[in-house]
Amino acid sequence: MTTLRLAIVGAGPAGIYAADILLKAERRFDVSIDLFDRLPAPYGLVRYGVAPDHPRIKGIITALRDILDRGQVRLFGNVRFGVDLTMDDLTRHYHAVIFATGAIRDADLDIPGIDAAGSYGAADFVSWYDGHPDFPREWPLDAASVAVVGNGNVALDVARMLAKHAEDLLPTEIPDNVHAGLVASQVTDVHVFGRRGPAQVKFTPLELRELGELRDVDMVLYDEDFDYDEASKDAIANNKQVMVIDRILQSWRKRPGTGSASRRLHLHFYARPVEVRTDAEGRVAALVYERTRSDGHGGVAGTGELREVPVQGIYRAVGYFGSPLEGVPFDDRHGVIPNHEGQVLHQDSNERVPGVYATGWIKRGPVGLIGHTKSDAMETVRHLINDQGSWWHPEDPSPESIVALLASRGIAWTDLEGWHRLDDHEIALGAARERARIKVVDRDEMVSVSRGE
């Protein structure tokens, strides 16, 4: 029986789910899967993109670990595609590849002053507080008042982490350097700006509710944002999620005794950022926004009224954006690999690229929750199975060949056994201080622990 030797680049949920779906699928061939990731540890954005105080969402790791622990997939961590491993290497040793590299860059916010000192991308801040090994260990938190631009779940995560007291994060797996940075934080006011109204936000009720549970943080809302038009009223009446969001916001408006907390979290709706103003030293000094109004159809129109909020820092959380891969077609406008239902297409001709597939955010853009990657992977895997006639014809598809190749290049890759070592090590670090886990941040230390060196 034919054996499909498949490479999957990206060991986050998208890549792991794709492997699992293929292994369980009805097919007329055997499967041998190698999973590659540039990081020494698996799980992608679940480990490095979900806030540490979200244990329910991080429970997805349990399901992902169960898939890997079945022993049907080999893991090669700390391997950089395009540097340690190339497309030419894949075509010599595999029949096909699925790219599941996600989207980790911040989308642009094209307004004057956005590149001023004190202006940051939310994705970079998330990578810092999640202990991503490729980001600086320190983060400047010397601003008293900061703005977060965006009305999605990432914006709320960033706002919550900025407003939350550091000691309240100790039960989580927050790295030591991140805790120390948050202890020294000077933040007292966090302003979240969204250009549409409360009935049109993109975050989920769970994310929103958690904001109101922060200790010693007042929620500040503005009555003018709740003069609902008919379109908003209809959305609240007919959409359960919008109804719950409105209920949460209304409950905060009715809270007694606000004003006593040491920190405040302000929610500004109908606010379209138009400019970041700077001080004499070129640092962020204020955010200027245009007051918008509902257009009656779920969108907004500008009013021409400009307002200014003094802030010393700004975080743009307007979406993620994919990164190009060496030798792989890439759509620079949308930040994705061009594809038809996961079958990768040439950028200029829209013709299929045989043997090359995509799944997850690098396939469809950074939309949807983690669970949506399952149905996404099913579509891609279905085409992979049906495309057997157009798979590559590798020179040496033996499982040993890729191990020999990486060894010959001096790549210190990590494997599944190594991840178990690192996992146990982090849990032990936490147990010594009565915490669930303390995440190792340094890449060299992660590799060393994983390889038992």
Side-chain angles (χ1 to χ4, degrees), residues 11-63:
I16 295 175
Y17 285 144
D20 184 47
I21 289 167
L22 177 59
L23 288 165
K24 293 177 178 177
E26 197 173 313
R27 47 188 160 75
R28 297 181 180 179
F29 50 83
D30 289 333
V31 176
S32 172
I33 302 175
D34 289 343
L35 192 63
F36 296 93
D37 202 281
R38 64 192 181 91
L39 294 171
Y43 308 143
L45 278 180
V46 182
R47 179 173 167 94
Y48 291 114
V50 177
D53 58 349
H54 271 180
R56 292 183 295 274
I57 295 177
K58 283 185 174 289
I60 293 173
I61 283 181
T62 301

Side-chain angles (χ1 to χ4, degrees), residues 60-191:
I60 293 173
I61 283 181
T62 301
L64 299 177
R65 177 170 180 148
D66 288 345
I67 294 170
L68 294 183
D69 284 355
R70 292 204 306 263
Q72 296 173 283
V73 179
R74 292 195 303 181
L75 176 66
F76 292 86
N78 200 41
V79 177
R80 298 165 296 172
F81 176 78
V83 179
D84 304 323
L85 189 70
T86 68
M87 182 64 87
D88 286 343
D89 296 328
L90 296 182
T91 58
R92 278 195 295 270
H93 300 291
Y94 295 92
H95 295 95
V97 59
I98 297 176
F99 288 99
T101 51
I104 59 172
R105 288 189 293 153
D106 284 288
D108 292 333
L109 178 61
D110 188 15
I111 61 174
I114 195 61
D115 294 325
S119 177
Y120 312 102
D124 291 345
F125 183 57
V126 171
S127 293
W128 172 74
Y129 67 59
D130 268 333
H132 194 295
D134 297 337
F135 284 77
R137 302 292 181 270
E138 297 181 354
W139 191 271
L141 290 167
D142 51 355
S145 183
V146 297
V148 179
V149 177
N151 258 180
N153 283 342
V154 174
L156 295 195
D157 273 356
V158 168
R160 191 180 67 257
M161 289 295 291
L162 287 167
K164 196 166 189 173
H165 290 277
E167 59 265 33
D168 295 336
L169 287 162
L170 283 176
T172 75
E173 60 183 45
I174 185 172
D176 282 343
N177 65 295
V178 176
H179 177 255
L182 292 173
V183 166
S185 172
Q186 301 299 305
V187 173
T188 60
D189 288 82
V190 179
H191 297 264

Side-chain angles (χ1 to χ4, degrees), residues 204-334:
T204 57
L206 176 62
E207 293 276 351
L208 181 64
R209 187 178 288 113
E210 289 176 338
L211 287 185
E213 297 171 354
L214 298 180
R215 180 183 63 85
D216 190 34
V217 178
D218 277 341
M219 299 302 302
V220 182
L221 289 82
Y222 300 89
D223 290 341
E224 62 179 341
D225 292 337
F226 294 88
D227 185 14
Y228 288 144
D229 67 348
E230 290 305 315
S232 295
K233 292 176 181 177
D234 287 345
I236 293 168
N238 297 307
N239 185 304
K240 185 175 181 181
Q241 178 164 299
V242 178
M243 182 186 304
V244 174
I245 286 173
D246 178 65
R247 189 177 299 153
I248 295 168
L249 295 172
Q250 298 294 352
S251 71
W252 293 345
R253 294 180 68 198
K254 298 172 184 176
R255 278 186 178 178
T258 57
S260 59
S262 67
R263 295 181 180 180
R264 290 154 294 281
L265 207 162
H266 308 251
L267 298 184
H268 302 266
F269 300 100
Y270 297 113
R272 183 181 69 87
V274 296
E275 181 185 358
V276 176
R277 291 199 173 145
T278 58
D279 61 18
E281 298 177 350
R283 297 190 58 82
V284 171
L287 177 68
V288 179
Y289 69 90
E290 179 187 19
R291 178 73 179 170
T292 62
R293 59 173 178 79
S294 174
D295 63 5
H297 304 288
V300 294
T303 66
E305 178 189 352
L306 298 181
R307 300 182 182 181
E308 181 176 315
V309 177
V311 293
Q312 300 84 49
I314 182 169
Y315 294 76
R316 66 182 189 278
V318 294
Y320 287 121
F321 203 78
S323 300
L325 298 161
E326 184 71 29
V328 183
F330 189 72
D331 182 341
D332 292 299
R333 180 180 177 188
H334 299 100

Side-chain angles (χ1 to χ4, degrees), residues 5-20:
R5 285 279 293 139
L6 175 68
I8 299 178
V9 179
I16 295 175
Y17 285 144
D20 184 47

Side-chain angles (χ1 to χ4, degrees), residues 343-401:
Q343 297 171 304
V344 173
L345 306 174
H346 287 288
Q347 180 72 4
D348 51 353
S349 65
N350 274 342
E351 293 181 358
R352 278 187 50 209
V353 181
V356 185
Y357 300 84
T359 191
W361 280 5
I362 198 63
K363 167 188 173 182
R364 57 186 163 85
V367 293
L369 303 176
I370 291 173
H372 294 159
T373 56
K374 285 186 178 180
S375 57
D376 196 44
M378 285 180 182
E379 182 179 68
T380 298
V381 168
R382 183 177 71 249
H383 282 297
L384 170 66
I385 292 172
N386 293 334
D387 291 345
Q388 185 171 355
S390 62
W391 292 348
W392 299 329
H393 301 284
E395 298 171 13
D396 183 1
S398 64
E400 299 79 17
S401 64

